Amino acid sequence: LAAARICSRPLLLFHMPLDASIHLPEDIGFISRQDLQELPVPWPRYQELRSKHVVPSLADTLVVISMPWTHQMHPDPVGENRKAILQLLKQVSIKLRVRGRILVFHDFLGMPQLPFRSDQAAWTLLDQEASHRIVRALPQLLVKANAIVHAQGVLVDNPEKDAVYRISARELYSQCKLRQVGKTVQVAALRSAVSAHSVQVFDQVLSFGGQPVNHLWDLPEESCGKGCNIQGCLSFCWTSRTWLQSNMLVELKRQPFGYLIDAPAEKHGRIFFDRFITMVKIALIDEGACAPAHVIFCNTAAVESSIVQGAEQLRRAMLAGRSAVAKVLEEFSSELQHKYFPPSIFKEGTSGVQAAARPGLSQPEVMASLMNAFTG
């Protein structure tokens, strides 16, 4: 393993100082624990928090948060998992006897995010470039951190009483464009300005004429599928008059933060990646200098145990030689291919919520390439 150097000398406060050989992109957004505690719910995006981002110093304690997102566009829209994060940060402060600032990196707060409301600034080329730089630096960031919080969250869907509503097929046709995202059919964009009480971007189509809808193919087959500028959108232009004349009802669900991600944490590709790099970090630390319990903080014993066991597996492979390391890394890379990664989303919309396409490698390919580059 080509290790980024980690301080292995025993320290009274178990504080591993920033390694001067690891340089992180200036775009990375760190937010203080105090500011994190005071953020409103739902959390604002990285772009709205630039005034609160701080540059870390050697006296600061860096903490990386790894927690699966609950929704397509937001990690914790109702603030339920915020409690677990703050509790674990309290444990970091106590166990590491922190005297200075605790600076936190969370991907939603620390790197550019796509907009999910019409009043949010559109995704730009600068956002895209910054996002790519930060993603490429994630392994170094995890190694550089004094502590890594691996939190297991809970799923809380849209709690609104009127979350499910019905409109006619004619209204659906006249108001919006649809797209397929994973196993969900959702509103991709609005044809024109509509009432706040009508269809909104990210609302999910549940049924059409009483029949469940899980794919665009479950809708009437009158889509021309030509010239759509929304990625994944196949039925934005219905050619049959059936839609315009139909009195059939379409059932939709309000999803202002996108669809609910119900995959277990251990199935998330990004979470697997974070845990793998944490294993590498633990494997490289002198066992007599710093115990894993002073580096990783989890709210479930099973997660902590799996990370420690993985680190021990890597450490044994390192002692056995290059071929043993290659075999273990191949096993981890193979496992990554079976993890869940969010499907790609839209390229451009007409509702005021816009995003640029993110070209290049797929998410699994990016994570795999980072794992291989970091450990090769």
Side-chain angles (χ1 to χ4, degrees):
L1 295 173
R5 292 184 294 118
I6 300 178
C7 177
S8 61
R9 56 192 176 91
L11 296 172
L12 177 62
L13 302 183
F14 300 98
H15 186 86
M16 294 188 296
L18 302 183
D19 191 325
S21 69
I22 300 179
H23 299 285
L24 299 176
E26 295 181 357
D27 316 276
I28 290 183
F30 292 99
I31 185 171
S32 72
R33 177 191 173 198
Q34 181 65 35
D35 283 340
L36 181 65
Q37 291 173 328
E38 296 174 356
L39 287 182
V41 175
W43 282 346
R45 300 180 305 158
Y46 166 97
Q47 289 92 323
E48 285 81 58
L49 288 174
R50 285 193 170 99
S51 64
K52 292 187 178 295
H53 291 157
V54 295
V55 177
S57 68
L58 290 174
D60 296 323
T61 297
L62 297 188
V63 181
V64 174
I65 306 295
S66 176
M67 174 178 271
W69 286 31
T70 64
H71 287 72
Q72 175 188 4
M73 304 301 292
H74 200 286
D76 185 28
V78 298
E80 187 65 28
N81 295 317
R82 170 180 173 274
K83 304 171 187 176
I85 290 174
L86 295 179
Q87 181 60 37
L88 287 167
L89 288 175
K90 182 178 180 180
Q91 292 181 27
V92 171
S93 178
I94 294 173
K95 187 166 286 189
L96 301 190
R97 305 177 192 174
V98 177
R99 296 172 180 171
R101 297 184 302 181
I102 291 180
L103 300 186
V104 177
F105 173 85
H106 184 289
D107 54 2
F108 186 75
L109 310 174
M111 59 188 292
Q113 301 297 325
L114 293 169
F116 52 88
R117 293 199 315 260
S118 59
D119 62 342
Q120 292 176 332
W123 178 264
T124 68
L125 180 59
L126 291 178
D127 290 332
Q128 178 173 293
E129 293 172 346
S131 178
H132 287 174
R133 283 192 294 270
I134 296 172
V135 167
R136 288 195 297 268
L138 287 176
Q140 289 77 14
L141 174 59
L142 287 159
V143 167
K144 195 181 186 83
N146 303 100
I148 305 172
V149 167
H150 292 276
Q152 293 280 81
V154 295
L155 288 177
V156 180
D157 205 356
N158 188 347
E160 296 180 17
K161 293 181 179 180
D162 59 347
V164 176
Y165 64 98
R166 294 174 179 82
I167 61 174
S168 70
R170 179 187 178 90
E171 288 178 286
L172 183 67
Y173 167 82
S174 63
Q175 292 187 13
C176 64
K177 302 177 182 181
L178 304 177
R179 65 161 168 253
Q180 181 78 38
V181 183
K183 298 180 180 180
T184 299
V185 175
Q186 66 180 197
V187 176
L190 304 178
R191 293 178 181 276
S192 58
V194 295
S195 166
H197 300 291
S198 189
V199 183
Q200 299 296 315
V201 174
F202 299 118
D203 284 0
Q204 179 180 346
V205 180
L206 300 179
S207 68
F208 182 92
Q211 298 301 312
V213 173
N214 297 307
H215 198 282
L216 286 168
W217 298 333
D218 296 329
L219 295 170
E221 299 178 359
E222 292 92 357
S223 61
C224 69
K226 298 178 181 178
C228 185
N229 62 356
I230 299 176
Q231 184 176 350
C233 179
L234 300 179
S235 63
F236 83 106
C237 181
W238 294 286
T239 57
S240 171
R241 294 184 178 179
T242 303
W243 282 83
L244 296 178
Q245 299 172 351
S246 175
N247 290 321
M248 283 188 173
L249 291 180
V250 183
E251 187 176 58
L252 297 98
K253 183 176 184 179
R254 295 264 183 241
Q255 293 287 24
F257 302 98
Y259 61 83
L260 181 72
I261 302 175
D262 56 2
E266 60 272 14
K267 297 294 185 181
H268 284 242
R270 171 59 194 282
I271 298 302
F272 177 82
F273 172 82
D274 290 347
R275 292 178 184 177
F276 170 76
I277 301 300
T278 306
M279 294 174 193
V280 174
K281 179 183 178 77
I282 298 298
L284 294 173
I285 294 177
D286 186 338
E287 294 180 87
C290 188
H294 291 89
V295 178
I296 55 175
F297 293 80
C298 311
N299 58 351
T300 61
V303 172
E304 181 175 356
S305 176
S306 68
I307 292 174
V308 172
Q309 290 176 13
E312 291 174 353
Q313 182 183 6
L314 286 168
R315 188 179 286 117
R316 289 194 299 268
M318 292 164 62
L319 295 174
R322 184 176 295 274
S323 61
V325 171
K327 181 179 179 181
V328 171
L329 293 181
E330 184 178 353
E331 293 173 357
F332 279 110
S333 294
S334 177
E335 187 175 353
L336 178 69
Q337 303 308 312
H338 300 286
K339 299 301 182 181
Y340 166 82
F341 286 90
S344 59
I345 61 172
F346 61 95
K347 179 178 179 182
E348 184 177 5
T350 58
S351 65
V353 179
Q354 299 182 352
R358 297 183 179 184
L361 298 176
S362 67
Q363 290 189 65
E365 289 171 333
V366 170
M367 295 294 105
S369 66
L370 286 173
M371 287 170 60
N372 292 331
F374 181 68
T375 58

